[in-house]
């Protein structure tokens, strides 16, 4: 398995331009949250899970958070805190029932993906499709790495 530094170096190749980096500070955490939102309302095959408040987003967060903890404890802890905030937001949106979470998530995801695409156009470099999929997990950790470095917390 690659180290956090290896993942971050690979990610940084197409994230050098200041405007692209700025766009990613908004787009990446939002895309992460919208992916959770898109998974949030997919019906569970067993009614027992749904009755317990368990959904696909929560189930898939477990291996994602495990991945972050395998990279480093501080990245895992930071991503757990961020993910918990997103889950809290999803639970609050669930109570509002003004708009379906999946629809809101899809709309915001599309806007942020286009914004991120524009950032890569400015950059002049874009990761391959498969790299981009892997980078859905790496992007938020990459940003968290900057925050941890600023706080002088090792990862």
């Amino acid at each position: 398995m690659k180290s956090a530094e290896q993942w971050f170096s690979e990610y940084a190749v197409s994230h050098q331009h200041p405007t692209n980096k700025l766009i990613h500070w908004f787009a990446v955490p939002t895309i992460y949250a919208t992916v959770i939102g898109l998974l949030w309302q997919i019906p569970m095959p067993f009614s027992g899970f749904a009755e317990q408040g368990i959904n696909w987003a929560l189930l898939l967060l477990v291996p994602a958070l495990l991945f972050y903890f395998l990279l480093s404890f501080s990245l895992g802890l930071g991503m757990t805190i961020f993910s918990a905030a997103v889950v809290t937001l999803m639970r609050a949106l669930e109570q509002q029932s003004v708009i379906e979470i999946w629809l809101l998530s899809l709309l915001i995801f599309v806007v942020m993906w286009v914004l991120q695409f524009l950032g890569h156009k400015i950059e002049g470099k874009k990761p391959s499709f498969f790299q981009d999929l892997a980078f859905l997990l790496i992007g938020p950790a990459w940003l968290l790495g900057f925050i941890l470095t600023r706080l002088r917390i090792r990862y």
Side-chain angles (χ1 to χ4, degrees), residues 53-116:
I54 298 172
N55 58 42
W56 284 109
L58 295 175
L59 286 176
L60 293 172
L61 272 172
V62 172
L65 294 173
L66 177 62
F67 170 75
Y68 293 127
F69 275 105
L70 289 172
L71 288 179
S72 94
F73 180 79
S74 55
L75 288 172
L77 184 59
M79 288 307 299
T80 299
I81 293 167
F82 178 65
S83 298
V86 172
V87 167
T88 301
L89 174 65
M90 294 304 149
R91 295 242 187 252
L93 288 172
E94 215 168 30
Q95 302 303 314
Q96 297 301 316
S97 69
V98 174
I99 186 170
E100 295 289 330
I101 293 170
W102 71 268
L103 180 57
L104 178 63
S105 296
L106 180 63
L107 294 172
I108 295 171
F109 178 89
V110 168
V111 170
M112 289 297 115
W113 197 266
V114 168
L115 189 61
Q116 184 176 271

Side-chain angles (χ1 to χ4, degrees), residues 4-48:
E5 290 80 14
Q6 290 169 317
W7 276 113
F8 293 170
S9 292
E10 192 175 320
Y11 190 86
V13 168
S14 56
H15 300 87
Q16 297 292 315
H17 193 281
T19 303
N20 187 31
K21 287 170 92 171
L22 178 63
I23 288 170
H24 277 69
W25 275 98
F26 295 100
V28 168
T30 306
I31 288 170
Y32 182 88
T34 59
V35 168
I36 291 172
L38 288 167
L39 294 168
W40 194 262
Q41 290 183 307
I42 296 174
M44 294 297 293
F46 308 108
S47 61

